[in-house]
Amino acid sequence: MKQAICLILFLCFFSVESGFAVNKTALLKMKKFSLSKLQATYKKNASLEADFIQEVYQASLGRTKSSKGNLKLSKPNFARWEIYEPEASVMVSNGHKLSYYTPDARGKGKGQVIERKAADLQKQPLFRILTGASALSEEFKVEKQEQGVGIVEGEKWTELVLKPQKKLNDIVQVELKVDPNYLIQELTTETENGNKTKITLQNQTLGAKLPPALFEFKAPADTEVIQN
């Protein structure tokens, strides 16, 4: 059950209408940000590789669970989402089948794999945004836009709060932190029940050649297979 919840969290892992006062200089700077340019940054590249930190806040329990790993995305429907710690797991899509594998789901050395259609990825905000498939200016409205300080001294990031124009699974809000090169550094989704999933991206590489073998998965012996 825990493994199925993790998969759902990942899969269920933007007109300016600002309610805060800004001066004219700040407003001019904010108008320079383009959702279309953000989309184009990811759309024009065939692949994305990055390390990530994932923080999942469960509102009902009032707790946050963190994990670290690496993601690789390649168009059209290839993906590898690998968590290294605290518990190993990997989600792999070869363009046809989506496999989520947990090595010790049924006890030490007794793995479980959940299989779904790879086409399901195209319905998920995280995958669509990071591949440039999401028409951001059409699918979202900007609820709030601010300038924030980045990791490098003097570097200005754009912080956005986005609301879906129409129903998007159970997601009610998406928050983005984008660097001056239009690379997303943080992406946070919030659902109707108050759950939040924050993805911090590090060491991003766009357009690298990723071997096809990375997106193939073969379940080890004695692995329970569940098809959804």
Side-chain angles (χ1 to χ4, degrees), residues 14-18 20 29-39 129 136-137 140-148 157-163 173-179 182-189:
F14 268 32
S15 124
V16 174
E17 296 179 0
S18 175
F20 56 92
K29 288 182 179 179
M30 286 191 290
K31 283 185 175 180
K32 292 180 181 178
F33 187 87
S34 168
L35 284 177
S36 296
K37 186 174 180 179
L38 176 60
Q39 178 191 357
I129 292 172
L136 298 178
S137 58
F140 297 87
K141 68 176 181 179
V142 180
E143 188 77 6
K144 185 177 180 180
Q145 179 180 334
E146 293 181 325
Q147 291 291 328
W157 288 11
T158 300
E159 301 180 2
L160 302 168
V161 176
L162 308 173
K163 298 287 187 180
Q173 179 171 291
V174 176
E175 297 178 24
L176 296 178
K177 288 188 178 181
V178 185
D179 74 14
Y182 279 83
L183 291 177
I184 297 171
Q185 302 296 328
E186 293 181 7
L187 187 156
T188 304
T189 58

Side-chain angles (χ1 to χ4, degrees), residues 2-3 6 52-56 63-70 81-90 100 102-104 108:
K2 179 172 69 176
Q3 288 72 29
C6 290
F52 68 84
I53 298 173
Q54 178 177 250
E55 299 170 80
V56 178
R63 69 182 184 188
T64 299
K65 182 178 180 179
S66 299
S67 57
K68 296 181 179 180
N70 177 271
W81 174 275
E82 193 161 6
I83 293 178
Y84 303 135
E85 56 181 73
E87 298 175 355
S89 64
V90 62
Y100 181 85
T102 307
D104 301 322
K108 189 66 175 179

